[in-house]
Amino acid sequence: MTVPPLLDIDNLVISYDDHGRRRAVVHGVTFAIKAGEVVAVVGESGSGKTTTAQSIIGLLPENGRIDGGAIRLNGTDISGWPQRRFDGLRGVGISLVPQDPGVSLNPVRTIGSQVGEILKIHAARGTPRRAIHSRVIELLDRVGLNHPEMRAGQYPHELSGGMKQRVLIAIAIALRPQLIIADEPTSALDVTVQKRILDLIDDLRAEYGTAVLLVTHDLGIAAERADRVVIVKDGRIEEQGPAAELLAHPRSDYAIQLLSNVPSLARSTPRQTITPIDGTVGGQDAVVVEGLTHVFAGRHLAGPRSPVIDSLSFRIPTGTTHALVGESGSGKTTTIRAIVGLLKPTGGRVLVDGHDVATLRGEALRRFRRTIQLVYQNPFSSLDPRQSIGRMIEEPLLNFEPVAREERARRAETILERVHLPRTILDRRPRALSGGQRQRVAIARALILDPRILILDEAVSALDVTAQAQILALLDELQRDLDLTYLFVSHDLAVVRQISDTVSVLRHGVLMESGPTETIFTHPTSDYTRDLIDAIPGRRPASPISSNRYPTPQILQEASFS
Amino acid sequence: MPPRNHFRPVRTSMALFGALAILTGASMARVEAGTPVPGGTLIYLEQQAHTNLYPPAGGFYPNGGVLNQITDKLTYQNPKTLKIEPWIAESWTVNPNKTEYTFKIRKGVTFSDGTPLDAPAVAKNFDTYGLGNKDLHLPVSEVINNYDHSEVVDPTTVKFYFKKPSPGFLQGTSVIGSGLVSPATLSRKFDELGDATAIIGSGPFVVTKAVLGKEITFAARKDYAWGPANLDHQGPALLDGIKLIITPEDGVRIGALLAGQADVIRQVQAYDEKQVEDQKYLVFAPSTRGVNNSVVFRPDNPLVGDLRVRQALLHATNAPEIVQTLYSPNYPQATSIIAATAAGYVNQAAKLTFDLDQAKALLDAAGWQPGADGLRWKDGKALILTAYESQPQPQNKAMLQLIAQQWSKVGVKLNVLAGDSGSRAADDLDPLKTPVSPAMVGRADPDVIKSQYYPANRDILRQKGGQSQKVQTFVDDKLNRLLEGIASETDEAKRLAIAGEVQAYVIDQAYAIPIFEEPQAFAAAPYVKGLAFEAVGRPSFYGVWLARH
Amino acid sequence: MTRYLIERIGQAVIVLWAAFTVTFILLHVLPGDAILIKFQNPDLGLGPQQIAEIRASYGVDRPLWLQYGHAIGSFLSGDFGYSIQAGVPVSESIRANLPPTLWLTGLGSLLAAVIAMIIAFAASLSPFAWLRALVRSAPALFVSIPTFWLGIALIQIFSFRLRLLPVIGAEGWRGLILPVTTLAIPISAPLAQILVRAIDDVATRPFVAVARAKGATHAWVLWRHVFRNALPPALTVAGVLFGELLGGALITETVFGLNGIGRLTQDAVNNQDAAVLQAVAVLSAVGFVVVNLGVDLLHPLLDPRLARKERVLS
């Protein structure tokens, strides 16, 4: 008799109760994970990959139900287990590294208590608190957190995203489970942090022999980190196999399409530069930033980390795309606020269409406000979710000019056409839309005022690769048709490379380097830029159980001090 | 006013108890059985907190209920005979002109602060009540007319002088509003007299503790030996003390009484009487013996300036229906503007008939023609009248609404307003805004009629030169002359005759429509013995004792 | 912190001044006044001459600005004046009525919080869906019970029928059980609703799934993770419920014959007892300021993100 695989998912069917009707989301998924193996389940949102992962650890949402198939852990079918039985398995046999470390730790309890909790739950009665505490410190140390004693007493908000993810990993490995389910473990993190976290997971897997189920939308990550890849779409497996083989020779159409959409893996040629960069030739600069410096003076109301911008200068020729690249805390947001006039910088100036933003008053200010528009990552978080899409798109008009209702509706429809959305969407609510559709609405909302400049703040970062590719194409088209100037703010270098003409790399408020995109990518001059490029997933093939990169080098700690 | 009216509908929910018994609804009740047992504390539930306890403000029932226990009066008005009998005054003489009253003060009476209740103290009391004290904001007493000054003849003799004949004064010395208080109390500001412990009287009980708005604790004075000479009970009170607790909610008062948590309660609505009596508990409804509960007109308002209109409304009012619908046998139908038990009463029943045909004929004659909307119209105006309800009067709102219903049958509309106190007080002065008003006042002397109608007093009809600047023209000199007569006629027989004349005149002029004789309704547990009421229905706990139970 | 405190105190002073002034103006805009109501009252039977004299002696017909200056001047010097209606110094009225109201409302809010918590937990932890639904509908029911009815029903059942607790002359804690319950139940309802909603909301947050993935039971997670995160919104609502608490206290005090600020206020409103209303308005404003300051100061205790801001910045 052969040894059964660690995890054996057999023709799994899962459905949700959708207002009394059952809607199947996983239709007969079958795959297996061997002990110590890394299996990546790759799919876009709605593919059922997260649902599958949740079912393995018994944490399906209340309206979810396993309708068929089996989930065998070491040969035992756990799919029908009651919650009480799962309580003994979770944390001990299977653990979880969640998607977004920012919201995955309880904000009101200390790091130490949250790591200690898993030990406490499963500890024998009477285990001294001291023993638990020292094990907590050991774990925090093991995942590469400096000053573990201090960290244990801190609250999650005092830690950076990467550090939080390390804490969550510490929790996941605390009891040396056989399987770790890592559900998009790095998608919410900056690229360089992402790389370090994935390295850490690799290390721990090597050390403990733990198997990892890596759930991700990023084929690049899967390619780089997994032994085997399972590609799912609409609750069905499209293709599965060893990572290297699948990526080299994808057989299903979907896998091929997916591969072509991933910027880092795509063999597409870099963007055609439309305009010369140095500004000496041709048209005017739409935006000029000169010696922009900002120091947060007030201490009591500012955000936790006050980035300081230090003599930042760049310019964006009209009709081109400039990318502002940097990780969190690099000063991107502050720069944007200074450009749109929401913040008065301590030093330097910002010229938009030749006018100093800080000196604009009255009518000029109003005109300026129309000239420049923002598109965010989560465009609807500040809007009333009960508003109709049509109303949302029209709304900016209400603030700027008295336009008759019919005229407003007409313009909204025109814009809708521009962003390739059906007219029927006007009466819908935002929750009925997909991520890509929402971003199109956000763009439409920005365009209705006929702006000259769009600031795209991580505008595609939250999207699946397919949607991302479509939005990027749309932006490209709009730029050509409407002669728009873009300031594209992102942490994702792969995307930046695809869309921008020029790039500025920002770190801790200091401009690391600036220049034409291709030059920067092919001949980076700063170490930091090189690190960033290096961290783009999928640039190197998956390595089978990697060499021991432990101990964590000092560089990993950087984010925590910003 | 407390908020009782907001909560009216609830009382029906209190009908949880059942049994059967009957007790007399006699207005004067004194139940005696067996040998009095001294001791014990009586729990007395009052509906409203007392306000200012300056004795002349004792007309407000909650105030009277407190003052009557802690103050003595110069004279005692026998509630049965309405005769004036000795109390603190052993004897008195009055000159034929009724302008000089001489009282001989009982010896050895002391206030609870130890100061003697002697002639100078009595003089100070009546100087204050008769003249007021502006510096202390103390107003004059309603019951003392034409007061001039006092004279202390000797420590036990005091003499009062009046500018004009003041025949009502002797009775006026017997009312709660003339309760005798220590000179120390009278040297306080009016604004401070809401503190029950500050009211130092010579009565059988003393306030030992007062929690504002919640309760008052009374203790019996063990050295009390100067009760009205003609009472059966003499010496100190039988009870050790009284605990008066403010319980605004009607249902809670009755429930507490029936559940044994209280001994006596004030203010029992007519519709609650049955459940109390069903439990073999006692309902007392002593008459207030004054001006009956009535609605009066303000003839300065042109709508009711016409005698025929007022008469029409008088005949359109079905008083028996009101009494039967809303009240109980403890609320006898009125037969004059004053109660049948009041001094000087003359029956006017023959003029107070309910007669719709006559009412309609009178309105027709006055030129008010029925319109299409059922209302009566004249010169483009509809006959629409307004009245504010008077919250202290029992079920006054329901009564006014029932009257409105009755009047609507002859095409007259009566709007009944609740309103806030401020609007009510302000609008009440303007006949145009309140052509109709509910009215009643309790006092067992014909003076009460003058008090109610005379422009310089309550001016209930709102005459020019009276309470209100808003009155345009209305003055009734004949009425005023008669009223002055009541206040000044020295011959008692003639005085009562004038009182009778006034009653006839007011009804002839249809200034008022008397509805019922207003009692004060109390309920008590069956073991409460010796509960007595003074002439206008305020309780006296002096002779009360608690039988074993 | 000092600057924060100065700001808060400044705000408080403005709120108190506004309360005083608005009350003053309102009282003068309304028809009639305390003197008129007191002395026009038939119980005193005063004539027009006499009433005019009294009005003059109280100075109620002086120019408005003069009265305002006088009122605010004496108020600042600690002289709150007299209740015209009751005939006692306002300070004494407040002294007699404030403690019972503080007890009633204090214990009432505490009990309301406890009831709300019980409902919230039962709504999440009950083993059957129907039971959870039932518990969830309780607040809606509680909200619709008028305080007045509730008080009467409790008195009927527990005092008059079962004779467990006296209503009349009840002293100490025995006298507080029924009134506090009466006040607490309707107040608990919005708290419970907010708490249930907040718990539902927090329960969907990823850190709850992480805690469950550690192997923690439902109850463990609810108590240690969900509840504390669900408290801040409930706390905010608790601050807003201050007004309802006062309204409920008024009715409760009336039903149970308790003295207190609620009844004092109602009597004062009915009689336009200016001095009392001025004091009560300022007192309520003080209460409002204190409750909201308390809520603001409690928030950082519940949520360390608010508390350690300064440390992180430095």
Side-chain angles (χ1 to χ4, degrees):
Chain A
M1 194 184 113
T2 53
V3 181
L6 172 64
L7 182 75
D8 179 15
I9 293 181
D10 187 2
N11 200 22
L12 187 65
V13 179
I14 301 173
S15 67
Y16 285 120
D17 178 42
D18 190 4
H19 296 104
R21 276 214 310 272
R22 294 219 73 85
R23 188 166 50 81
V25 289
V26 174
H27 313 266
V29 163
T30 302
F31 66 91
I33 304 176
K34 288 194 281 253
E37 191 182 34
V38 178
V39 171
V41 175
V42 181
E44 303 190 40
S45 42
S47 63
K49 60 185 193 301
T50 294
T51 301
T52 306
Q54 285 169 333
S55 71
I56 297 168
I57 197 162
L59 287 179
L60 278 176
E62 220 169 87
N63 61 342
R65 191 178 72 194
I66 296 176
D67 290 330
I71 301 168
R72 288 186 211 96
L73 188 71
N74 294 318
T76 311
D77 185 3
I78 59 172
S79 63
W81 278 18
Q83 286 295 318
R84 207 161 299 150
R85 216 168 155 195
F86 257 113
D87 287 340
L89 176 66
R90 284 193 282 253
V92 183
I94 306 175
S95 65
L96 177 75
V97 176
Q99 180 165 14
D100 186 351
V103 295
S104 293
L105 286 167
N106 186 338
V108 306
R109 300 187 62 205
T110 60
I111 299 302
S113 81
Q114 297 192 57
V115 178
E117 185 176 28
I118 188 168
L119 303 169
K120 208 161 133 193
I121 291 168
H122 300 284
R125 207 172 280 275
T127 309
R129 286 180 56 181
R130 189 172 301 274
I132 288 182
H133 182 70
S134 57
R135 175 80 179 121
V136 166
I137 303 302
E138 214 177 292
L139 282 165
L140 292 179
D141 189 42
R142 175 65 196 87
V143 296
L145 282 169
N146 59 355
H147 311 304
E149 281 282 358
M150 181 189 91
R151 299 292 178 214
Q154 285 182 313
Y155 287 94
H157 69 277
E158 296 172 90
L159 272 59
S160 68
M163 291 161 79
K164 279 184 248 191
Q165 194 60 294
R166 285 169 193 275
V167 172
L168 286 157
I169 291 170
I171 294 171
I173 61 165
L175 298 172
R176 295 180 172 242
Q178 292 174 292
L179 174 67
I180 293 176
I181 296 172
D183 185 4
E184 304 271 18
T186 58
S187 53
L189 300 174
D190 282 337
V191 271
T192 52
V193 182
Q194 183 174 356
K195 177 169 178 293
R196 290 174 211 144
I197 292 294
L198 291 170
D199 286 349
L200 175 65
I201 293 176
D202 263 354
D203 291 346
L204 294 167
R205 179 181 66 120
E207 186 180 334
Y208 294 166
T210 304
V212 177
L213 173 64
L214 184 64
V215 177
T216 180
H217 69 280
D218 191 334
L219 204 50
I221 290 178
E224 191 174 291
R225 306 284 171 172
D227 299 316
R228 290 196 312 115
V229 174
V230 179
I231 294 180
V232 290
K233 186 194 178 206
D234 298 335
R236 292 188 173 84
I237 293 181
E238 291 286 322
E239 186 169 353
Q240 60 176 310
E245 191 178 308
L246 190 146
L247 289 167
H249 309 287
R251 279 165 287 136
S252 64
D253 294 345
Y254 183 64
I256 293 165
Q257 187 207 332
L258 213 50
L259 267 167
S260 68
N261 281 340
V262 176
S264 57
L265 298 174
R267 278 163 283 260
S268 61
T269 48
R271 182 180 162 84
Q272 300 294 318
T273 304
I274 328 174
T275 321
I277 346 298
D278 54 19
T280 52
V281 185
Q284 218 194 329
D285 288 327
V287 178
V288 178
V289 174
E290 280 178 2
L292 187 68
T293 302
H294 193 73
V295 182
F296 279 112
R299 278 281 174 213
H300 71 296
L301 278 177
R305 271 162 292 160
S306 323
V308 176
I309 303 177
D310 197 358
S311 324
L312 175 62
S313 299
F314 62 84
R315 49 187 56 212
I316 314 174
T318 304
T320 69
T321 302
H322 183 76
L324 201 54
V325 175
E327 300 183 81
S328 28
S330 59
K332 288 177 299 188
T333 305
T334 311
T335 308
I336 295 173
R337 289 170 60 83
I339 291 174
V340 298
L342 290 174
L343 174 145
K344 220 174 164 58
T346 333
R349 57 180 194 154
V350 176
L351 302 177
V352 171
D353 279 342
H355 304 288
D356 186 342
V357 171
T359 65
L360 290 177
R361 297 282 180 280
E363 185 51 35
L365 183 64
R366 275 174 62 84
R367 251 199 329 271
F368 163 73
R369 291 247 157 92
R370 295 192 60 155
T371 306
I372 192 158
Q373 289 293 319
L374 270 162
V375 178
Y376 301 98
Q377 176 171 6
N378 291 314
F380 295 145
S381 53
S382 61
L383 294 178
D384 183 352
R386 284 161 302 183
Q387 265 188 356
S388 72
I389 298 299
R391 170 90 195 156
M392 279 181 177
I393 293 175
E394 289 173 23
E395 197 188 19
L397 275 180
L398 297 173
N399 300 331
F400 277 96
E401 53 182 317
V403 179
R405 192 194 312 192
E406 300 75 26
E407 171 67 9
R408 283 205 307 270
R410 199 190 56 75
R411 288 203 207 173
E413 282 176 25
T414 315
I415 294 291
L416 219 52
E417 222 165 280
R418 276 237 167 269
V419 299
H420 308 305
L421 281 174
R423 191 180 291 194
T424 51
I425 214 165
L426 284 170
D427 298 325
R428 301 241 208 107
R429 311 282 151 190
R431 49 181 298 184
L433 270 52
S434 74
Q437 285 175 318
R438 284 184 204 196
Q439 211 51 276
R440 281 171 199 269
V441 170
I443 292 168
R445 191 175 140 90
L447 287 180
I448 196 147
L449 291 170
D450 291 328
R452 306 305 313 142
I453 303 164
L454 279 193
I455 297 186
L456 302 151
D457 185 2
E458 302 279 9
V460 297
S461 304
L463 300 176
D464 290 328
V465 277
T466 310
Q468 197 175 57
Q470 287 163 354
I471 295 289
L472 290 175
L474 172 68
L475 287 171
D476 210 32
E477 177 189 327
L478 290 170
Q479 186 168 48
R480 271 187 274 106
D481 291 357
L482 302 172
D483 194 28
L484 292 169
T485 305
Y486 292 153
L487 176 59
F488 192 87
V489 180
S490 179
H491 68 276
D492 189 339
L493 282 177
V495 171
V496 164
R497 188 174 192 178
Q498 229 177 35
I499 190 165
S500 64
D501 302 303
T502 54
V503 179
S504 289
V505 179
L506 209 56
R507 185 188 189 211
H508 297 179
V510 180
L511 185 68
M512 302 308 293
E513 63 185 296
S514 183
T517 308
E518 266 321 289
T519 317
I520 300 281
F521 272 78
T522 49
H523 304 290
T525 56
S526 75
D527 289 346
Y528 181 68
T529 310
R530 260 193 292 280
D531 274 353
L532 284 180
I533 294 169
D534 199 32
I536 300 175
R539 288 177 59 85
R540 60 202 167 82
S543 51
I545 311 228
S546 41
S547 60
N548 193 357
R549 283 188 288 267
Y550 189 74
T552 312
Q554 190 55 39
I555 190 171
L556 295 193
Q557 301 302 325
E558 276 161 0
S560 56
F561 291 107
S562 54
Chain B
M1 291 302 123
R4 61 194 176 115
N5 287 289
H6 309 312
F7 306 140
R8 277 258 161 84
V10 174
R11 286 193 205 102
T12 45
S13 74
M14 305 302 286
L16 289 167
F17 309 92
L20 200 94
I22 296 168
L23 192 112
T24 171
S27 60
M28 224 315 289
R30 179 177 293 185
V31 185
E32 301 287 347
T35 316
V37 188
T41 297
L42 178 99
I43 308 286
Y44 172 50
L45 303 188
E46 169 53 71
Q47 185 198 28
Q48 286 173 275
H50 69 79
T51 58
N52 199 306
L53 291 175
Y54 176 55
F60 184 48
Y61 284 109
N63 294 356
V66 175
L67 287 167
N68 205 27
Q69 318 311 320
I70 59 175
T71 61
D72 292 333
K73 289 77 175 172
L74 212 44
T75 58
Y76 178 72
Q77 183 170 30
N78 188 318
K80 284 181 212 159
T81 63
L82 300 187
K83 288 273 175 283
I84 306 299
E85 298 173 2
W87 193 350
I88 297 303
E90 290 176 325
S91 63
W92 53 87
T93 56
V94 187
N95 73 343
N97 238 1
K98 310 267 173 155
T99 53
E100 292 172 29
Y101 288 76
T102 311
F103 292 90
K104 192 80 187 160
I105 309 300
R106 194 167 177 162
K107 285 199 191 78
V109 180
T110 56
F111 291 109
S112 60
D113 63 357
T115 53
L117 199 179
D118 50 11
V122 174
K124 180 163 170 81
N125 269 271
F126 283 94
D127 283 352
T128 307
Y129 299 159
L131 301 172
N133 184 327
K134 261 182 219 149
D135 292 338
L136 300 174
H137 298 315
L138 298 172
V140 299
S141 166
E142 176 187 20
V143 298
I144 302 173
N145 292 306
N146 306 325
Y147 186 84
D148 191 62
H149 72 282
S150 64
E151 180 192 342
V152 178
V153 179
D154 63 55
T156 58
T157 312
V158 63
K159 193 167 177 187
F160 299 109
Y161 295 89
F162 292 81
K163 292 179 206 136
K164 284 192 235 165
S166 194
F169 180 68
L170 185 62
Q171 192 271 347
T173 62
S174 74
V175 303
I176 289 177
S178 297
L180 300 167
V181 292
S182 159
T185 301
L186 292 176
S187 61
R188 283 172 177 265
K189 282 205 290 190
F190 179 76
D191 297 330
E192 293 173 349
L193 294 177
D195 175 4
T197 59
I199 311 298
I200 308 298
S202 60
F205 293 93
V206 181
V207 172
T208 54
K209 190 177 165 229
V211 181
L212 282 178
K214 189 179 183 208
E215 58 183 44
I216 300 179
T217 312
F218 300 82
R221 261 184 89 172
K222 293 300 166 200
D223 59 347
Y224 186 82
W226 45 83
N230 292 349
L231 287 191
D232 297 339
H233 177 65
Q234 291 295 315
L238 291 163
L239 293 167
D240 290 337
I242 307 160
K243 195 151 193 169
L244 179 155
I245 298 172
I246 315 300
T247 312
E249 187 39 47
D250 289 353
V252 175
R253 280 198 310 283
I254 289 180
L257 175 73
L258 299 181
Q261 294 180 23
D263 306 312
V264 179
I265 65 173
R266 184 180 82 81
Q267 187 78 319
V268 179
Q269 299 295 350
Y271 45 73
D272 283 332
E273 287 179 4
K274 185 171 182 306
Q275 64 155 317
V276 172
E277 293 175 343
D278 283 351
Q279 292 272 74
K280 303 200 179 183
Y281 278 53
L282 320 176
V283 171
F284 298 89
S287 169
T288 53
R289 278 201 190 77
V291 174
N292 284 329
N293 198 307
S294 318
V295 292
V296 299
F297 294 106
R298 271 72 192 267
D300 196 55
N301 183 318
L303 293 176
V304 294
D306 188 328
L307 169 64
R308 290 166 297 188
V309 172
R310 298 197 299 270
Q311 282 175 328
L313 294 173
L314 184 146
H315 291 299
T317 305
N318 187 349
E321 183 190 49
I322 294 169
V323 170
Q324 277 159 28
T325 310
L326 298 174
Y327 303 101
S328 75
N330 288 324
Y331 299 69
Q333 188 193 334
T335 48
S336 175
I337 58 170
I338 57 172
T341 49
Y345 159 82
V346 177
N347 191 323
Q348 308 287 332
K351 300 175 189 168
L352 295 172
T353 51
F354 169 57
D355 187 338
L356 280 181
D357 294 335
Q358 195 183 347
K360 286 174 186 162
L362 281 161
L363 286 170
D364 290 342
W368 290 94
Q369 298 303 327
D373 52 359
L375 289 180
R376 295 221 169 220
W377 291 79
K378 180 182 175 182
D379 303 334
K381 274 182 139 180
L383 194 44
I384 298 175
L385 306 173
T386 302
Y388 275 95
E389 63 166 303
S390 164
Q391 289 183 342
Q393 297 178 22
Q395 297 191 81
N396 188 253
K397 185 179 186 179
M399 182 184 98
L400 290 175
Q401 283 168 342
L402 186 49
I403 289 174
Q405 207 179 312
Q406 293 173 353
W407 289 2
S408 69
K409 288 176 187 152
V410 295
V412 179
K413 181 167 180 166
L414 175 65
N415 291 317
V416 181
L417 303 182
D420 60 281
S421 309
S423 309
R424 185 162 48 237
D427 288 354
D428 195 37
L429 291 172
D430 186 351
L432 287 177
K433 288 188 174 151
T434 51
V436 177
S437 171
M440 77 77 55
V441 56
R443 186 185 167 194
D445 188 89
D447 254 12
V448 73
I449 307 176
K450 184 220 165 196
S451 195
Q452 181 80 331
Y453 288 97
Y454 198 61
N457 296 111
R458 296 186 180 214
D459 189 26
I460 190 71
L461 301 179
R462 298 288 178 252
Q463 300 193 40
K464 192 167 172 61
Q467 295 270 9
S468 170
Q469 312 289 323
K470 298 262 172 62
V471 177
Q472 302 300 316
T473 56
F474 174 67
V475 178
D476 188 330
D477 289 325
K478 184 183 177 193
L479 174 67
N480 294 343
R481 262 198 315 282
L482 286 171
L483 294 172
E484 283 158 15
I486 295 177
S488 58
E489 176 54 57
T490 54
D491 183 288
E492 191 60 17
K494 283 186 187 163
R495 189 165 169 249
L496 293 180
I498 299 173
E501 254 185 85
V502 174
Q503 292 166 54
Y505 182 73
V506 169
I507 298 299
D508 287 341
Q509 290 298 317
Y511 285 146
I513 308 171
I515 309 293
F516 63 87
E517 299 184 1
E518 187 171 321
Q520 264 302 288
F522 296 80
Y527 53 80
V528 175
K529 310 289 184 192
L531 184 58
F533 299 91
E534 51 90 85
V536 292
R538 271 69 167 175
S540 167
F541 297 114
Y542 174 47
V544 169
W545 54 281
L546 305 173
R548 270 174 222 292
H549 62 281
Chain C
M1 197 64 191
T2 337
R3 191 174 148 189
Y4 174 75
L5 271 184
I6 290 170
E7 273 177 26
R8 290 302 297 238
I9 290 169
Q11 283 169 7
V13 168
I14 292 171
V15 167
L16 299 191
W17 172 80
F20 184 92
T21 306
V22 169
T23 313
F24 185 88
I25 293 170
L26 270 180
L27 283 169
H28 283 83
V29 170
L30 290 172
D33 59 50
I35 307 287
L36 185 69
I37 293 166
K38 177 73 191 175
F39 292 97
Q40 187 82 46
N41 191 320
D43 290 317
L44 281 171
L46 294 175
Q49 190 65 38
Q50 295 151 345
I51 291 175
E53 281 171 15
I54 289 166
R55 290 188 73 78
S57 75
Y58 276 100
V60 284
D61 295 325
R62 285 178 302 170
L64 199 59
W65 60 269
L66 213 78
Q67 291 187 52
Y68 179 73
H70 182 74
I72 208 159
S74 16
F75 209 87
L76 288 177
S77 66
D79 173 13
F80 300 157
Y82 291 92
S83 159
I84 299 284
Q85 189 65 25
V88 287
V90 172
S91 52
E92 205 169 292
S93 247
I94 301 280
R95 203 174 310 134
N97 286 300
L98 187 58
T101 297
L102 288 182
W103 275 107
L104 178 67
T105 51
L107 292 174
S109 352
L110 199 70
L111 182 62
V114 170
I115 295 173
M117 275 165 64
I118 292 173
I119 290 175
F121 276 92
S124 298
L125 281 180
S126 297
F128 310 107
W130 64 265
L131 191 57
R132 290 197 295 273
L134 192 74
V135 172
R136 270 157 199 269
S137 64
L141 180 73
F142 287 178
V143 150
S144 61
I145 303 177
T147 306
F148 175 72
W149 272 100
L150 184 63
I152 291 288
L154 290 178
I155 289 175
Q156 281 294 347
I157 296 167
F158 293 101
S159 186
F160 297 163
R161 271 280 175 92
L162 304 175
R163 309 203 170 189
L164 294 174
L165 293 160
V167 171
I168 303 304
E171 301 289 339
W173 63 270
R174 281 164 63 82
L176 279 171
I177 293 177
L178 293 182
V180 163
T181 310
T182 303
L183 181 60
I185 287 181
I187 297 284
S188 74
L191 276 183
Q193 281 171 331
I194 290 291
L195 211 49
V196 167
R197 210 173 304 152
I199 284 178
D200 287 351
D201 175 46
V202 174
T204 62
R205 297 220 206 131
F207 68 78
V208 172
V210 168
R212 298 239 45 201
K214 293 174 185 174
T217 61
H218 191 45
W220 170 297
V221 170
L222 194 63
W223 179 245
R224 280 162 209 256
H225 292 280
V226 176
F227 184 60
R228 255 197 66 192
N229 281 284
L231 269 185
L235 191 66
T236 305
V237 172
V240 177
L241 282 177
F242 182 67
E244 304 221 348
L245 197 63
L246 286 190
L250 184 156
I251 297 168
T252 309
E253 285 164 6
T254 303
V255 172
F256 287 88
L258 304 170
N259 58 328
I261 296 293
R263 249 174 76 197
L264 180 71
T265 308
Q266 181 163 32
D267 286 351
V269 166
N270 282 330
N271 297 308
Q272 284 182 26
D273 207 333
V276 178
L277 288 175
Q278 292 284 192
V280 165
V282 173
L283 194 70
S284 313
V286 167
F288 189 76
V289 166
V290 166
V291 164
N292 281 286
L293 184 65
V295 167
D296 284 359
L297 293 180
L298 262 177
H299 268 298
L301 292 183
L302 291 176
D303 190 340
R305 282 169 295 188
L306 301 171
R308 303 207 179 180
K309 192 168 275 178
E310 283 176 278
R311 204 182 103 189
V312 172
L313 273 175
S314 54

